[in-house]
């Protein structure tokens, strides 16, 4: 299987049902990204700031770059000039920093709030209480340079399909509830990013409209370490 045919097959499956494909290109070389690009893919996601910045600099400027990994506040400034969606916002402090650098760059930066839906302890993300606290915070009203577009979540890493389904069901319910309670007037709150290579079919059944696929597009990742060129 080639990257080209992977992109074509996945897009044939996703486009008719209105699900956005984010091709997760972490650890993959520029040549692989170009192959996906030439097959028509324009949205790519990375989980490390340095890797994201280097790829942004080296690759075509009409690529929409998403950050899907944990973001430290002191690194916001590096991606603020160009990032198209930060999927991993997990604190008010981080949101304020994004707003600050978005303003400096005269931009509005789209963000997803990452929700901790898995049963594992190690995952980043807001729990329900923290999510409500963030949304009700007075600071939210003053932030003119960020736009909350929706929620993102990662299911429990398990072979148990029922558990994965429950994680996604829970996130969809939360998304619907938050939309009604806090974003009723905002049509732009419309993104529910859930589903990776191993579980995206279940995620779509449960209402995802954005999937983040790495190995399904590019093949298995052999190394976790990105080599800067
Ligand atoms: C790596 C990663 C993905 C893609 O993983 P695959 O299993 O290769 O599809 C999706 N989302 C996040 C947050 C990731 O870090």
């Amino acid at each position: 299987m080639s990257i080209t045919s992977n992109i074509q097959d996945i897009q044939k499956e996703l486009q008719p049902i209105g699900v956005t494909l984010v091709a997760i290109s972490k650890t993959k070389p520029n040549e692989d990204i170009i192959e996906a690009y030439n097959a028509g893919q324009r949205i790519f996601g990375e989980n490390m700031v340095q890797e994201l910045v280097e790829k942004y600099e080296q690759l075509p400027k009409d690529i929409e770059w998403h950050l899907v990994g944990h973001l430290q506040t002191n690194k916001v400034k590096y991606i603020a000039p160009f990032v198209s969606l930060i999927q991993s916002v997990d604190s008010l402090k981080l949101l304020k920093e994004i707003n600050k650098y978005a303003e400096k760059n005269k931009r509005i930066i789209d963000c997803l709030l990452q929700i901790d839906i898995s049963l594992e302890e190690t995952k980043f993300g807001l729990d329900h209480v923290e999510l409500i606290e963030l949304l009700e915070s007075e600071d939210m009203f003053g932030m003119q340079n960020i736009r909350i577009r929706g929620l993102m979540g990662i299911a429990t890493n398990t072979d148990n399909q029922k558990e994965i389904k429950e994680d996604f069901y829970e996130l969809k319910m939360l998304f619907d509830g938050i939309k009604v309670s806090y974003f009723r007037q905002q049509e732009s709150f419309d993104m529910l990013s859930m589903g990776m290579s191993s579980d995206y079919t279940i995620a779509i059944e449960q209402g995802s409209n954005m999937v983040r696929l790495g190995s399904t597009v590019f093949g298995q990742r052999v190394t976790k370490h990105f080599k800067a060129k």
Side-chain angles (χ1 to χ4, degrees), residues 6-7 9 38 42 55 65 131-132 156 166 192 207 214 222:
N6 290 344
I7 290 285
D9 290 350
N38 288 336
R42 289 294 179 273
K55 286 175 174 173
W65 290 104
L131 173 65
I132 302 301
T156 308
E166 281 168 8
L192 179 55
V222 280

Side-chain angles (χ1 to χ4, degrees), residues 78-90:
Y78 301 118
I79 61 170
F82 69 89
V83 71
S84 96
L85 181 67
I86 300 175
Q87 296 208 11
S88 44
V89 174
D90 59 2

Side-chain angles (χ1 to χ4, degrees), residues 166-189:
E166 281 168 8
D167 285 349
F168 289 143
Y169 176 82
E170 188 192 322
L171 186 57
K172 174 67 161 80
M173 289 299 116
L174 187 65
F175 176 83
D176 291 342
I178 294 294
K179 189 171 173 62
V180 168
S181 307
Y182 296 94
F183 297 94
R184 194 188 282 272
Q185 314 291 345
Q186 279 154 263
E187 275 176 38
S188 57
F189 187 88

Side-chain angles (χ1 to χ4, degrees), residues 45-179:
E46 292 283 337
N47 69 336
M48 309 263 283
V49 166
Q50 189 200 340
E51 187 172 349
L52 175 59
V53 170
E54 289 182 22
K55 286 175 174 173
Y56 163 73
E57 285 167 354
Q58 293 160 3
L59 289 160
K61 289 296 173 283
D62 61 340
I63 289 179
E64 292 176 35
W65 290 104
H66 291 193
L67 183 75
V68 300
H70 182 64
L71 177 58
Q72 290 170 279
T73 49
N74 63 356
K75 294 196 172 161
V76 171
K77 55 179 177 285
Y78 301 118
I79 61 170
F82 69 89
V83 71
S84 96
L85 181 67
I86 300 175
Q87 296 208 11
S88 44
V89 174
D90 59 2
S91 73
L92 183 61
K93 183 170 160 239
L94 178 58
L95 206 52
K96 283 185 189 171
E97 196 72 3
I98 296 168
N99 185 62
K100 182 172 130 191
Y101 280 97
E103 195 178 350
K104 279 195 180 161
N105 286 278
K106 301 190 172 61
R107 301 185 63 211
I108 290 171
I109 297 182
D110 283 343
C111 298
L112 302 182
L113 300 174
Q114 182 175 351
I115 309 301
D116 183 11
I117 49 170
S118 92
L119 301 172
E120 291 141 289
E121 298 265 310
T122 50
K123 292 267 160 64
F124 292 106
L126 300 153
D127 64 28
H128 292 200
V129 175
E130 291 165 338
L131 173 65
I132 302 301
E133 269 172 18
L134 184 151
L135 291 170
E136 306 231 319
S137 154
E138 282 187 17
D139 293 321
M140 287 299 288
F141 298 102
M143 287 193 260
Q144 304 293 332
N145 293 76
I146 52 109
R147 185 166 59 164
I148 310 248
R149 296 294 308 268
L151 305 181
M152 184 272 257
I154 302 171
T156 308
N157 184 10
T158 171
D159 292 331
N160 185 336
Q161 309 276 301
K162 187 165 165 283
E163 195 171 310
I164 294 169
K165 187 174 159 182
E166 281 168 8
D167 285 349
F168 289 143
Y169 176 82
E170 188 192 322
L171 186 57
K172 174 67 161 80
M173 289 299 116
L174 187 65
F175 176 83
D176 291 342
I178 294 294
K179 189 171 173 62

Side-chain angles (χ1 to χ4, degrees), residues 2-13 15 38-39:
S2 70
I3 293 169
T4 304
S5 60
N6 290 344
I7 290 285
Q8 286 164 349
D9 290 350
I10 299 162
Q11 287 292 16
K12 210 179 289 171
E13 184 186 345
Q15 271 169 355
N38 288 336

Side-chain angles (χ1 to χ4, degrees), residues 14 27 33 71:
L14 299 184
T27 78
I33 300 174
L71 177 58

